Amino acid sequence: MLSLSTPLCVAAAQTPSAPGDLERNLQTHLACVRAAAHQGVQLLQFPELSLMGYEPALMADHVLTTDHPVLVALRQAAQSHGMALVVGAPAEPAEQGALPAIGAWLLGPDGSVALYRKRHLHNSEEQFASAGTDDAQVQLVAGEPTALAVCADITHPEHAQAARGAGAALYAAGVLISEKAYAAESAMLEGYARDHDMAVLAANYSGTSGGYISAGRSAFWAPGGRCVVAAPGDAPCIVWAQRSDSGWAGGVLSLSVPA
């Protein structure tokens, strides 16, 4: 009997970010998109605040809007490669007059733009950012009902539970997870895949950002909790996972980032 699973290829871009340098980080993002396109990736997830680095103190000076040249360039790349992108950058807050939001921008291959604002902030972020108001936003990405998460969101089990309750089959997170926190937080992500029977994708940083040393090891867990693939360390790479009639398989592509 043939499986009814729809073919799908998703990936995490494990990248470094230069502090506050949108143009340099844009070139890194575009290099990732080109590499992912050769693998047939349909959704490429980047780390938290990937376009400026995890630098909360710089957020107020780097708030992006839909027509910002960096987002326009990435929207064009998404369209030309037929790939959805989730990139991290500050955004206007959910409530007028509040501090900027930590945004995950979903750029569709059809030219569409959607914004998810980080729902749960670390205490150290509250002087620079405001929290989003939506527990879960589920959208079709490459035909897959998908919910986005940003870093601390994943440490709140109710966030993943709300995503599943809203119909998500894929929980995609952009994060900055240190070596110290990796064991506990990756175990939580595995648990969401197992307990909610949904796929989980996590894109972590390569190297250091905002004074934190990333553990790397971006990963993908299939529904049921099996870790299909994880980066072996924190080197720049693309971690991809593909669903076919025979189930999920994955791999790691080494990445050369622009100097």
Side-chain angles (χ1 to χ4, degrees):
M1 180 180 294
L2 291 176
S3 168
L4 298 180
S5 295
T6 305
L8 178 68
C9 189
V10 300
Q14 183 167 289
T15 52
S17 292
D21 193 337
L22 295 180
E23 182 56 38
R24 180 175 172 184
N25 296 328
L26 169 61
Q27 297 309 313
T28 296
H29 282 59
L30 293 175
C32 289
V33 173
R34 291 190 294 269
H38 289 294
Q39 189 61 44
V41 170
Q42 295 163 276
L43 167 64
L44 183 59
Q45 169 78 54
F46 286 85
E48 178 181 23
L49 290 174
S50 58
L51 282 169
M52 60 161 274
Y54 183 77
E55 305 286 344
L58 301 181
M59 284 185 55
D61 295 327
H62 295 86
V63 176
L64 302 192
T65 55
T66 304
D67 59 355
H68 190 282
V70 167
L71 287 183
V72 170
L74 287 166
R75 289 169 65 188
Q76 291 172 343
Q79 288 178 278
S80 63
H81 291 286
M83 185 189 308
L85 309 177
V86 183
V87 300
E92 293 178 343
E95 298 179 1
Q96 188 172 3
L99 293 167
I102 297 177
W105 295 85
L106 173 59
L107 313 177
D110 59 355
S112 62
V113 181
L115 174 64
Y116 167 75
R117 297 174 176 89
K118 185 176 183 177
R119 181 70 177 86
H120 299 280
L121 301 179
H122 290 293
N123 292 339
S124 60
E125 295 168 347
E126 292 178 350
Q127 62 179 309
F128 304 111
S130 64
T133 55
D134 294 327
D135 288 319
Q137 296 177 10
V138 176
Q139 303 178 64
L140 282 179
V141 182
E144 197 79 355
T146 300
L148 302 182
V150 180
C151 208
D153 287 336
I154 70 172
T155 66
H156 293 260
E158 67 272 20
H159 189 269
Q161 185 173 8
R164 189 66 181 110
L170 172 64
Y171 188 65
V175 300
L176 171 53
I177 302 177
S178 67
E179 187 66 41
K180 181 179 179 180
Y182 187 86
E185 295 189 15
S186 61
M188 295 186 80
L189 292 170
E190 178 184 344
Y192 300 151
R194 180 185 64 246
D195 299 340
H196 300 309
D197 198 33
M198 63 180 176
V200 174
L201 176 69
N204 201 8
Y205 269 86
S206 170
T208 301
S209 193
Y212 294 92
I213 301 173
S214 173
R217 286 182 275 169
S218 300
F220 177 86
W221 293 264
R226 178 175 69 92
C227 184
V228 174
V229 60
D234 74 333
C237 64
I238 291 172
V239 176
W240 60 270
Q242 187 165 9
R243 183 177 63 199
S244 66
D245 287 342
S246 56
W248 285 97
V252 179
L253 301 174
S254 296
L255 191 65
S256 296
V257 297

